[in-house]
Amino acid sequence: MRAQMPAHPEKGKSMWSAQDVARDQVRRQANGLDVAAIAGKVAEAAVRERETAEQLRGNGSFYEFEMDRERSAAIWLAQHAEWRRVRDLMAAVGWSVYEPEQDAQGSVWAREREERFAGALAAQAAFGERRQEEEDELRAEVRLSAASSRLIRVVASRRGLHPSQVLAQLAEQIVVGEDGTVSVPPFTPSL
């Protein structure tokens, strides 16, 4: 069973177009089928295309979500076109059975889908890492005494920093001792 394509992590949309889905399904289903079986698939896709188009126009079931009906109609339209392409290719080349590896255009499309899939997985992993980093960050509002606040402002001014940058660098230098004491060794804030 093929892994489901991830949605774009930030947009929530399917990664594969109706053509991508149709081409992938036809490529897998057509493998090893003869000319007669392919002709049957073309006829079946024509019927399904017509049925889903009627459902989309409102003549079909009301139990489906509107987006599902639109997507289903688009996929069957694309599948019908792809089954016809496979049928025409087999007739033009004289193949008795369909072999996906011999289909140059289908192979190009399959590689492109796999590359997009790998890219989507990488993007999803990067998005997850960014979210984890954001969750690990601590954002705090700190109220300092007037004396401490003046010291931080002076240090920040001398180094060309914002006071919050000095506090962030100060926090990064914290050392926790075995007994739970917290200290900061001497350091110079930097840009």
Side-chain angles (χ1 to χ4, degrees):
M1 186 170 157
R2 175 172 274 291
Q4 183 166 346
M5 293 304 300
H8 188 284
E10 294 169 8
K11 296 180 183 172
K13 294 185 178 177
S14 177
M15 184 44 247
W16 279 13
S17 69
Q19 288 79 15
D20 288 331
V21 171
R23 289 171 180 161
D24 182 60
Q25 289 176 353
V26 169
R27 185 173 175 85
R28 286 183 288 114
Q29 292 174 12
N31 188 18
L33 296 182
D34 63 16
V35 175
I38 296 291
K41 292 290 191 177
V42 170
E44 177 188 348
V47 169
R48 296 290 295 169
E49 177 187 355
R50 190 171 42 257
E51 289 173 352
T52 56
E54 287 174 9
Q55 287 177 344
L56 190 58
R57 286 191 297 268
N59 301 332
S61 167
F62 290 100
Y63 298 107
E64 298 178 58
F65 290 105
E66 205 59 36
M67 279 303 291
D68 291 341
R69 293 195 318 186
E70 289 175 12
R71 180 101 171 130
S72 180
I75 289 170
W76 276 107
L77 174 69
Q79 275 195 12
H80 187 203
E82 184 62 9
W83 280 114
R84 288 191 318 261
R85 185 193 71 81
V86 168
R87 177 199 61 200
D88 296 346
L89 173 66
M90 288 178 69
V93 180
W95 293 341
S96 58
V97 292
Y98 179 76
E99 296 179 37
E101 301 77 32
Q102 301 300 318
D103 181 352
Q105 182 61 62
S107 294
V108 166
W109 288 332
R111 271 192 306 278
E112 289 172 353
R113 281 191 305 276
E114 291 304 317
E115 288 169 4
R116 283 196 306 274
F117 180 64
L121 287 179
Q124 195 171 33
F127 179 76
E129 288 175 18
R130 282 193 310 273
R131 289 204 60 206
Q132 185 61 47
E133 287 173 6
E134 289 172 1
E135 289 175 8
D136 290 345
E137 288 181 0
L138 173 64
R139 296 187 187 272
E141 184 175 315
V142 180
R143 299 211 181 265
L144 301 173
S145 67
S148 296
S149 180
R150 275 193 295 277
L151 284 174
I152 295 293
R153 283 194 178 117
V154 167
V155 170
S157 173
R158 288 181 182 164
R159 303 302 298 172
L161 298 169
H162 191 274
S164 63
Q165 291 172 306
V166 173
L167 289 173
Q169 290 181 28
L170 182 66
E172 289 174 1
Q173 301 296 321
I174 291 176
V175 176
V176 179
E178 289 180 20
D179 61 353
T181 57
V182 178
S183 62
V184 177
F187 77 100
T188 303
S190 61
L191 289 176

CSV table of all heavy atoms in Angstrom, one decimal, residues 54-108:
chain,number,residue,atom,x,y,z
A,54,GLU,N,-22.0,14.0,-12.9
A,54,GLU,CA,-23.4,14.1,-12.6
A,54,GLU,C,-23.5,14.4,-11.1
A,54,GLU,O,-24.4,15.3,-10.7
A,54,GLU,CB,-24.2,12.9,-12.9
A,54,GLU,CG,-24.4,12.7,-14.4
A,54,GLU,CD,-25.0,11.4,-14.8
A,54,GLU,OE1,-25.5,10.7,-13.9
A,54,GLU,OE2,-25.0,11.1,-16.0
A,55,GLN,N,-22.8,13.8,-10.2
A,55,GLN,CA,-22.9,14.0,-8.8
A,55,GLN,C,-22.4,15.5,-8.5
A,55,GLN,O,-23.0,16.1,-7.6
A,55,GLN,CB,-22.0,13.1,-8.0
A,55,GLN,CG,-22.5,11.7,-7.9
A,55,GLN,CD,-21.5,10.7,-7.2
A,55,GLN,OE1,-20.4,11.1,-7.0
A,55,GLN,NE2,-22.0,9.6,-6.8
A,56,LEU,N,-21.4,15.9,-9.2
A,56,LEU,CA,-20.9,17.3,-9.0
A,56,LEU,C,-22.0,18.3,-9.4
A,56,LEU,O,-22.1,19.3,-8.7
A,56,LEU,CB,-19.7,17.5,-9.8
A,56,LEU,CG,-18.9,18.8,-9.5
A,56,LEU,CD1,-18.5,18.8,-8.1
A,56,LEU,CD2,-17.6,18.8,-10.4
A,57,ARG,N,-22.8,18.0,-10.4
A,57,ARG,CA,-23.8,18.9,-10.8
A,57,ARG,C,-25.0,18.9,-9.9
A,57,ARG,O,-26.0,19.6,-10.1
A,57,ARG,CB,-24.3,18.6,-12.3
A,57,ARG,CG,-23.3,19.0,-13.3
A,57,ARG,CD,-23.9,18.9,-14.7
A,57,ARG,NE,-24.2,17.5,-15.1
A,57,ARG,CZ,-23.4,16.7,-15.7
A,57,ARG,NH1,-22.2,17.0,-16.0
A,57,ARG,NH2,-23.8,15.4,-16.0
A,58,GLY,N,-25.0,18.0,-8.9
A,58,GLY,CA,-26.1,17.9,-7.9
A,58,GLY,C,-27.0,16.8,-8.2
A,58,GLY,O,-28.0,16.7,-7.4
A,59,ASN,N,-26.8,15.9,-9.1
A,59,ASN,CA,-27.7,14.8,-9.4
A,59,ASN,C,-27.3,13.6,-8.6
A,59,ASN,O,-27.9,12.5,-8.8
A,59,ASN,CB,-27.7,14.5,-10.9
A,59,ASN,CG,-28.1,15.7,-11.7
A,59,ASN,OD1,-28.9,16.5,-11.2
A,59,ASN,ND2,-27.7,15.8,-12.9
A,60,GLY,N,-26.3,13.6,-7.8
A,60,GLY,CA,-25.8,12.4,-7.1
A,60,GLY,C,-26.1,12.5,-5.6
A,60,GLY,O,-27.0,13.2,-5.2
A,61,SER,N,-25.4,11.7,-4.9
A,61,SER,CA,-25.6,11.5,-3.5
A,61,SER,C,-25.3,12.8,-2.7
A,61,SER,O,-24.4,13.6,-3.1
A,61,SER,CB,-24.7,10.4,-3.0
A,61,SER,OG,-24.6,10.4,-1.6
A,62,PHE,N,-26.1,13.1,-1.7
A,62,PHE,CA,-25.9,14.3,-0.8
A,62,PHE,C,-25.0,13.9,0.4
A,62,PHE,O,-24.8,14.7,1.2
A,62,PHE,CB,-27.2,14.9,-0.4
A,62,PHE,CG,-27.9,15.5,-1.5
A,62,PHE,CD1,-29.0,14.9,-2.2
A,62,PHE,CD2,-27.5,16.8,-2.0
A,62,PHE,CE1,-29.7,15.5,-3.2
A,62,PHE,CE2,-28.2,17.4,-3.0
A,62,PHE,CZ,-29.3,16.8,-3.6
A,63,TYR,N,-24.6,12.7,0.5
A,63,TYR,CA,-23.8,12.2,1.7
A,63,TYR,C,-22.4,12.6,1.6
A,63,TYR,O,-21.7,12.4,2.5
A,63,TYR,CB,-24.0,10.7,1.9
A,63,TYR,CG,-25.5,10.4,2.2
A,63,TYR,CD1,-26.2,9.8,1.2
A,63,TYR,CD2,-26.1,10.7,3.4
A,63,TYR,CE1,-27.6,9.4,1.5
A,63,TYR,CE2,-27.4,10.4,3.6
A,63,TYR,CZ,-28.1,9.8,2.7
A,63,TYR,OH,-29.4,9.5,2.9
A,64,GLU,N,-21.9,13.0,0.4
A,64,GLU,CA,-20.5,13.3,0.3
A,64,GLU,C,-20.2,14.7,0.5
A,64,GLU,O,-21.1,15.6,0.3
A,64,GLU,CB,-20.0,12.9,-1.2
A,64,GLU,CG,-20.2,11.5,-1.5
A,64,GLU,CD,-19.8,11.2,-2.9
A,64,GLU,OE1,-18.6,11.5,-3.2
A,64,GLU,OE2,-20.6,10.7,-3.7
A,65,PHE,N,-19.0,15.1,1.0
A,65,PHE,CA,-18.7,16.4,1.2
A,65,PHE,C,-18.4,17.1,-0.2
A,65,PHE,O,-18.0,16.4,-1.1
A,65,PHE,CB,-17.4,16.6,2.0
A,65,PHE,CG,-17.6,16.2,3.5
A,65,PHE,CD1,-17.1,15.0,3.9
A,65,PHE,CD2,-18.3,17.0,4.3
A,65,PHE,CE1,-17.3,14.6,5.3
A,65,PHE,CE2,-18.5,16.7,5.6
A,65,PHE,CZ,-18.0,15.5,6.1
A,66,GLU,N,-18.7,18.3,-0.3
A,66,GLU,CA,-18.6,19.0,-1.6
A,66,GLU,C,-17.2,18.9,-2.1
A,66,GLU,O,-17.0,18.7,-3.3
A,66,GLU,CB,-19.0,20.5,-1.4
A,66,GLU,CG,-19.5,21.2,-2.6
A,66,GLU,CD,-20.7,20.5,-3.2
A,66,GLU,OE1,-21.6,20.0,-2.5
A,66,GLU,OE2,-20.8,20.5,-4.5
A,67,MET,N,-16.2,19.1,-1.3
A,67,MET,CA,-14.8,19.0,-1.8
A,67,MET,C,-14.5,17.6,-2.3
A,67,MET,O,-13.8,17.4,-3.3
A,67,MET,CB,-13.8,19.4,-0.7
A,67,MET,CG,-13.6,20.9,-0.6
A,67,MET,SD,-13.1,21.8,-2.1
A,67,MET,CE,-11.5,21.1,-2.3
A,68,ASP,N,-15.0,16.6,-1.6
A,68,ASP,CA,-14.7,15.2,-2.0
A,68,ASP,C,-15.3,15.0,-3.4
A,68,ASP,O,-14.8,14.3,-4.2
A,68,ASP,CB,-15.3,14.3,-1.0
A,68,ASP,CG,-14.5,14.3,0.3
A,68,ASP,OD1,-13.4,14.8,0.3
A,68,ASP,OD2,-15.1,13.8,1.3
A,69,ARG,N,-16.5,15.5,-3.6
A,69,ARG,CA,-17.2,15.3,-5.0
A,69,ARG,C,-16.4,16.0,-6.0
A,69,ARG,O,-16.2,15.5,-7.1
A,69,ARG,CB,-18.6,15.9,-4.9
A,69,ARG,CG,-19.5,15.0,-4.0
A,69,ARG,CD,-20.9,15.2,-4.2
A,69,ARG,NE,-21.4,16.6,-4.4
A,69,ARG,CZ,-22.7,16.9,-4.4
A,69,ARG,NH1,-23.6,15.9,-4.3
A,69,ARG,NH2,-23.1,18.1,-4.6
A,70,GLU,N,-15.9,17.2,-5.8
A,70,GLU,CA,-15.1,17.9,-6.7
A,70,GLU,C,-13.8,17.2,-7.0
A,70,GLU,O,-13.4,17.0,-8.2
A,70,GLU,CB,-14.8,19.4,-6.3
A,70,GLU,CG,-15.9,20.3,-6.3
A,70,GLU,CD,-15.6,21.6,-5.7
A,70,GLU,OE1,-14.4,21.9,-5.4
A,70,GLU,OE2,-16.6,22.4,-5.4
A,71,ARG,N,-13.1,16.8,-6.0
A,71,ARG,CA,-11.9,16.0,-6.1
A,71,ARG,C,-12.1,14.7,-6.9
A,71,ARG,O,-11.3,14.4,-7.7
A,71,ARG,CB,-11.3,15.8,-4.7
A,71,ARG,CG,-9.9,15.1,-4.8
A,71,ARG,CD,-8.8,16.0,-4.6
A,71,ARG,NE,-7.6,15.3,-4.4
A,71,ARG,CZ,-6.5,15.6,-5.1
A,71,ARG,NH1,-6.5,16.5,-5.9
A,71,ARG,NH2,-5.4,14.9,-4.8
A,72,SER,N,-13.1,14.0,-6.5
A,72,SER,CA,-13.4,12.7,-7.1
A,72,SER,C,-13.7,12.9,-8.6
A,72,SER,O,-13.2,12.2,-9.5
A,72,SER,CB,-14.6,12.1,-6.5
A,72,SER,OG,-14.9,10.8,-7.1
A,73,ALA,N,-14.5,13.9,-9.0
A,73,ALA,CA,-14.8,14.2,-10.4
A,73,ALA,C,-13.5,14.5,-11.1
A,73,ALA,O,-13.3,14.1,-12.3
A,73,ALA,CB,-15.8,15.3,-10.5
A,74,ALA,N,-12.6,15.4,-10.5
A,74,ALA,CA,-11.4,15.7,-11.2
A,74,ALA,C,-10.4,14.5,-11.4
A,74,ALA,O,-9.8,14.4,-12.4
A,74,ALA,CB,-10.6,16.8,-10.4
A,75,ILE,N,-10.4,13.6,-10.4
A,75,ILE,CA,-9.6,12.4,-10.5
A,75,ILE,C,-10.1,11.5,-11.6
A,75,ILE,O,-9.3,11.0,-12.4
A,75,ILE,CB,-9.4,11.7,-9.1
A,75,ILE,CG1,-8.6,12.6,-8.2
A,75,ILE,CG2,-8.8,10.3,-9.3
A,75,ILE,CD1,-8.6,12.1,-6.7
A,76,TRP,N,-11.4,11.3,-11.6
A,76,TRP,CA,-11.9,10.4,-12.7
A,76,TRP,C,-11.7,11.0,-14.0
A,76,TRP,O,-11.5,10.2,-15.0
A,76,TRP,CB,-13.3,10.0,-12.4
A,76,TRP,CG,-13.4,8.9,-11.4
A,76,TRP,CD1,-13.7,8.9,-10.1
A,76,TRP,CD2,-13.0,7.5,-11.7
A,76,TRP,NE1,-13.6,7.7,-9.5
A,76,TRP,CE2,-13.1,6.8,-10.5
A,76,TRP,CE3,-12.5,6.8,-12.8
A,76,TRP,CZ2,-12.8,5.4,-10.4
A,76,TRP,CZ3,-12.2,5.5,-12.7
A,76,TRP,CH2,-12.3,4.8,-11.5
A,77,LEU,N,-11.8,12.3,-14.2
A,77,LEU,CA,-11.6,12.9,-15.5
A,77,LEU,C,-10.1,12.7,-15.9
A,77,LEU,O,-9.8,12.3,-17.0
A,77,LEU,CB,-11.8,14.4,-15.4
A,77,LEU,CG,-11.5,15.3,-16.6
A,77,LEU,CD1,-12.4,15.0,-17.7
A,77,LEU,CD2,-11.5,16.8,-16.2
A,78,ALA,N,-9.2,12.8,-14.9
A,78,ALA,CA,-7.8,12.6,-15.2
A,78,ALA,C,-7.5,11.1,-15.4
A,78,ALA,O,-6.7,10.8,-16.3
A,78,ALA,CB,-7.0,13.2,-14.0
A,79,GLN,N,-8.2,10.2,-14.7
A,79,GLN,CA,-7.9,8.8,-14.9
A,79,GLN,C,-8.4,8.4,-16.3
A,79,GLN,O,-7.7,7.6,-17.0
A,79,GLN,CB,-8.6,8.0,-13.8
A,79,GLN,CG,-7.9,7.8,-12.6
A,79,GLN,CD,-8.4,6.7,-11.7
A,79,GLN,OE1,-9.2,5.9,-12.1
A,79,GLN,NE2,-7.9,6.6,-10.5
A,80,HIS,N,-9.5,8.9,-16.7
A,80,HIS,CA,-10.0,8.5,-18.0
A,80,HIS,C,-9.0,9.0,-19.1
A,80,HIS,O,-8.7,8.2,-20.0
A,80,HIS,CB,-11.4,9.2,-18.3
A,80,HIS,CG,-12.1,8.8,-19.5
A,80,HIS,ND1,-13.0,9.6,-20.2
A,80,HIS,CD2,-11.9,7.7,-20.3
A,80,HIS,CE1,-13.4,8.9,-21.3
A,80,HIS,NE2,-12.8,7.8,-21.4
A,81,ALA,N,-8.5,10.2,-18.9
A,81,ALA,CA,-7.5,10.7,-19.9
A,81,ALA,C,-6.2,9.8,-19.8
A,81,ALA,O,-5.6,9.5,-20.9
A,81,ALA,CB,-7.1,12.2,-19.6
A,82,GLU,N,-5.8,9.4,-18.6
A,82,GLU,CA,-4.6,8.6,-18.5
A,82,GLU,C,-4.8,7.2,-19.1
A,82,GLU,O,-3.9,6.7,-19.7
A,82,GLU,CB,-4.1,8.6,-17.1
A,82,GLU,CG,-2.8,7.9,-16.8
A,82,GLU,CD,-1.6,8.5,-17.6
A,82,GLU,OE1,-1.7,9.6,-18.1
A,82,GLU,OE2,-0.5,7.8,-17.6
A,83,TRP,N,-5.9,6.6,-18.8
A,83,TRP,CA,-6.2,5.3,-19.4
A,83,TRP,C,-6.2,5.4,-20.9
A,83,TRP,O,-5.7,4.5,-21.6
A,83,TRP,CB,-7.5,4.7,-18.9
A,83,TRP,CG,-7.4,4.1,-17.5
A,83,TRP,CD1,-8.1,4.5,-16.4
A,83,TRP,CD2,-6.7,2.9,-17.2
A,83,TRP,NE1,-7.7,3.7,-15.3
A,83,TRP,CE2,-6.9,2.7,-15.8
A,83,TRP,CE3,-5.8,2.0,-17.8
A,83,TRP,CZ2,-6.3,1.7,-15.1
A,83,TRP,CZ3,-5.2,1.0,-17.1
A,83,TRP,CH2,-5.5,0.8,-15.8
A,84,ARG,N,-6.8,6.4,-21.5
A,84,ARG,CA,-6.7,6.6,-23.0
A,84,ARG,C,-5.3,6.8,-23.5
A,84,ARG,O,-4.9,6.2,-24.5
A,84,ARG,CB,-7.6,7.8,-23.4
A,84,ARG,CG,-9.1,7.5,-23.3
A,84,ARG,CD,-9.9,8.6,-23.9
A,84,ARG,NE,-9.5,10.0,-23.7
A,84,ARG,CZ,-10.0,10.8,-22.8
A,84,ARG,NH1,-11.0,10.4,-22.0
A,84,ARG,NH2,-9.5,12.0,-22.7
A,85,ARG,N,-4.5,7.5,-22.7
A,85,ARG,CA,-3.1,7.7,-23.1
A,85,ARG,C,-2.3,6.4,-23.1
A,85,ARG,O,-1.6,6.1,-24.1
A,85,ARG,CB,-2.4,8.7,-22.1
A,85,ARG,CG,-0.9,9.0,-22.6
A,85,ARG,CD,-0.1,9.7,-21.5
A,85,ARG,NE,0.2,8.8,-20.4
A,85,ARG,CZ,1.3,8.0,-20.4
A,85,ARG,NH1,2.0,7.9,-21.5
A,85,ARG,NH2,1.5,7.2,-19.4
A,86,VAL,N,-2.6,5.6,-22.1
A,86,VAL,CA,-1.9,4.2,-22.0
A,86,VAL,C,-2.4,3.4,-23.2
A,86,VAL,O,-1.6,2.7,-23.9
A,86,VAL,CB,-2.2,3.6,-20.7
A,86,VAL,CG1,-1.8,2.1,-20.7
A,86,VAL,CG2,-1.4,4.3,-19.6
A,87,ARG,N,-3.7,3.4,-23.4
A,87,ARG,CA,-4.3,2.6,-24.6
A,87,ARG,C,-3.6,3.0,-25.9
A,87,ARG,O,-3.2,2.2,-26.7
A,87,ARG,CB,-5.8,2.8,-24.6
A,87,ARG,CG,-6.4,2.0,-25.8
A,87,ARG,CD,-7.8,2.6,-26.1
A,87,ARG,NE,-7.7,4.0,-26.5
A,87,ARG,CZ,-8.7,4.9,-26.4
A,87,ARG,NH1,-9.9,4.5,-26.0
A,87,ARG,NH2,-8.5,6.1,-26.8
A,88,ASP,N,-3.6,4.3,-26.1
A,88,ASP,CA,-3.0,4.8,-27.4
A,88,ASP,C,-1.5,4.5,-27.5
A,88,ASP,O,-1.0,4.2,-28.6
A,88,ASP,CB,-3.3,6.4,-27.5
A,88,ASP,CG,-4.8,6.7,-27.6
A,88,ASP,OD1,-5.6,5.8,-27.8
A,88,ASP,OD2,-5.1,7.9,-27.4
A,89,LEU,N,-0.8,4.6,-26.4
A,89,LEU,CA,0.6,4.3,-26.4
A,89,LEU,C,0.8,2.9,-26.8
A,89,LEU,O,1.7,2.5,-27.6
A,89,LEU,CB,1.2,4.6,-25.0
A,89,LEU,CG,2.7,4.2,-24.8
A,89,LEU,CD1,3.6,5.0,-25.7
A,89,LEU,CD2,3.1,4.3,-23.3
A,90,MET,N,0.1,2.0,-26.1
A,90,MET,CA,0.2,0.5,-26.4
A,90,MET,C,-0.1,0.2,-27.9
A,90,MET,O,0.6,-0.5,-28.5
A,90,MET,CB,-0.7,-0.3,-25.5
A,90,MET,CG,-0.3,-0.3,-24.1
A,90,MET,SD,-1.4,-1.2,-23.0
A,90,MET,CE,-1.1,-2.9,-23.6
A,91,ALA,N,-1.1,0.9,-28.4
A,91,ALA,CA,-1.4,0.7,-29.9
A,91,ALA,C,-0.3,1.2,-30.8
A,91,ALA,O,0.1,0.6,-31.7
A,91,ALA,CB,-2.8,1.4,-30.2
A,92,ALA,N,0.2,2.4,-30.4
A,92,ALA,CA,1.2,3.0,-31.3
A,92,ALA,C,2.5,2.2,-31.2
A,92,ALA,O,3.2,2.1,-32.3
A,92,ALA,CB,1.5,4.5,-30.8
A,93,VAL,N,2.9,1.7,-30.1
A,93,VAL,CA,4.2,1.0,-30.0
A,93,VAL,C,4.0,-0.5,-30.2
A,93,VAL,O,5.0,-1.2,-30.5
A,93,VAL,CB,4.7,1.2,-28.5
A,93,VAL,CG1,6.1,0.5,-28.3
A,93,VAL,CG2,4.9,2.7,-28.3
A,94,GLY,N,2.8,-1.0,-30.1
A,94,GLY,CA,2.5,-2.4,-30.4
A,94,GLY,C,2.8,-3.3,-29.2
A,94,GLY,O,3.1,-4.5,-29.4
A,95,TRP,N,2.6,-2.8,-28.0
A,95,TRP,CA,2.8,-3.6,-26.8
A,95,TRP,C,1.6,-4.6,-26.7
A,95,TRP,O,0.4,-4.2,-26.9
A,95,TRP,CB,2.9,-2.8,-25.6
A,95,TRP,CG,4.2,-2.0,-25.5
A,95,TRP,CD1,5.3,-2.1,-26.2
A,95,TRP,CD2,4.4,-0.9,-24.6
A,95,TRP,NE1,6.2,-1.2,-25.8
A,95,TRP,CE2,5.7,-0.4,-24.9
A,95,TRP,CE3,3.6,-0.2,-23.7
A,95,TRP,CZ2,6.2,0.7,-24.2
A,95,TRP,CZ3,4.1,0.9,-23.1
A,95,TRP,CH2,5.4,1.3,-23.3
A,96,SER,N,1.8,-5.8,-26.2
A,96,SER,CA,0.7,-6.7,-25.9
A,96,SER,C,0.3,-6.5,-24.5
A,96,SER,O,-0.8,-6.8,-24.1
A,96,SER,CB,1.1,-8.2,-26.2
A,96,SER,OG,2.3,-8.5,-25.4
A,97,VAL,N,1.2,-6.1,-23.6
A,97,VAL,CA,0.9,-5.8,-22.2
A,97,VAL,C,1.6,-4.5,-21.8
A,97,VAL,O,2.7,-4.2,-22.4
A,97,VAL,CB,1.4,-7.0,-21.2
A,97,VAL,CG1,0.6,-8.2,-21.4
A,97,VAL,CG2,2.8,-7.2,-21.3
A,98,TYR,N,1.1,-3.9,-20.8
A,98,TYR,CA,1.6,-2.6,-20.4
A,98,TYR,C,2.7,-2.9,-19.3
A,98,TYR,O,2.5,-3.6,-18.4
A,98,TYR,CB,0.5,-1.7,-19.8
A,98,TYR,CG,1.1,-0.4,-19.3
A,98,TYR,CD1,1.4,0.6,-20.2
A,98,TYR,CD2,1.2,-0.2,-17.9
A,98,TYR,CE1,1.9,1.8,-19.7
A,98,TYR,CE2,1.7,1.1,-17.4
A,98,TYR,CZ,2.1,2.0,-18.3
A,98,TYR,OH,2.5,3.2,-17.9
A,99,GLU,N,3.9,-2.3,-19.5
A,99,GLU,CA,4.9,-2.4,-18.6
A,99,GLU,C,5.3,-0.9,-18.2
A,99,GLU,O,5.9,-0.2,-19.1
A,99,GLU,CB,6.1,-3.1,-19.2
A,99,GLU,CG,5.9,-4.6,-19.5
A,99,GLU,CD,7.0,-5.2,-20.1
A,99,GLU,OE1,8.2,-4.9,-19.7
A,99,GLU,OE2,6.8,-6.1,-21.0
A,100,PRO,N,5.1,-0.5,-17.0
A,100,PRO,CA,5.3,0.9,-16.6
A,100,PRO,C,6.7,1.4,-16.9
A,100,PRO,O,6.9,2.5,-17.3
A,100,PRO,CB,5.0,0.9,-15.1
A,100,PRO,CG,4.1,-0.3,-14.9
A,100,PRO,CD,4.5,-1.3,-15.9
A,101,GLU,N,7.7,0.5,-16.7
A,101,GLU,CA,9.1,0.9,-16.9
A,101,GLU,C,9.4,1.3,-18.3
A,101,GLU,O,10.3,2.0,-18.6
A,101,GLU,CB,10.1,-0.2,-16.4
A,101,GLU,CG,9.9,-0.6,-15.0
A,101,GLU,CD,8.7,-1.5,-14.7
A,101,GLU,OE1,8.3,-2.3,-15.6
A,101,GLU,OE2,8.1,-1.4,-13.6
A,102,GLN,N,8.6,0.7,-19.2
A,102,GLN,CA,8.8,1.0,-20.7
A,102,GLN,C,8.1,2.3,-21.1
A,102,GLN,O,8.4,2.8,-22.2
A,102,GLN,CB,8.3,-0.2,-21.5
A,102,GLN,CG,9.0,-1.5,-21.2
A,102,GLN,CD,10.5,-1.4,-21.4
A,102,GLN,OE1,11.0,-0.9,-22.4
A,102,GLN,NE2,11.2,-2.0,-20.5
A,103,ASP,N,7.3,2.8,-20.3
A,103,ASP,CA,6.5,4.0,-20.6
A,103,ASP,C,7.3,5.2,-20.2
A,103,ASP,O,7.4,5.6,-19.0
A,103,ASP,CB,5.2,4.0,-19.8
A,103,ASP,CG,4.3,5.2,-20.1
A,103,ASP,OD1,4.7,6.2,-20.7
A,103,ASP,OD2,3.1,5.1,-19.6
A,104,ALA,N,8.0,5.8,-21.2
A,104,ALA,CA,8.9,6.9,-20.9
A,104,ALA,C,8.2,8.1,-20.3
A,104,ALA,O,8.7,8.6,-19.2
A,104,ALA,CB,9.6,7.4,-22.2
A,105,GLN,N,7.1,8.6,-20.8
A,105,GLN,CA,6.4,9.7,-20.2
A,105,GLN,C,5.9,9.4,-18.8
A,105,GLN,O,6.0,10.2,-17.9
A,105,GLN,CB,5.2,10.2,-21.1
A,105,GLN,CG,4.5,11.4,-20.6
A,105,GLN,CD,5.4,12.6,-20.5
A,105,GLN,OE1,5.9,13.1,-21.5
A,105,GLN,NE2,5.6,13.1,-19.3
A,106,GLY,N,5.3,8.2,-18.7
A,106,GLY,CA,4.8,7.8,-17.4
A,106,GLY,C,5.9,7.7,-16.3
A,106,GLY,O,5.7,8.1,-15.2
A,107,SER,N,7.1,7.3,-16.8
A,107,SER,CA,8.2,7.2,-15.9
A,107,SER,C,8.7,8.5,-15.4
A,107,SER,O,9.1,8.7,-14.3
A,107,SER,CB,9.4,6.4,-16.5
A,107,SER,OG,9.0,5.0,-16.7
A,108,VAL,N,8.7,9.5,-16.4
A,108,VAL,CA,9.1,10.9,-16.0
A,108,VAL,C,8.1,11.4,-15.0
A,108,VAL,O,8.5,12.0,-14.0
A,108,VAL,CB,9.1,11.8,-17.3
A,108,VAL,CG1,9.2,13.3,-16.9
A,108,VAL,CG2,10.3,11.4,-18.2
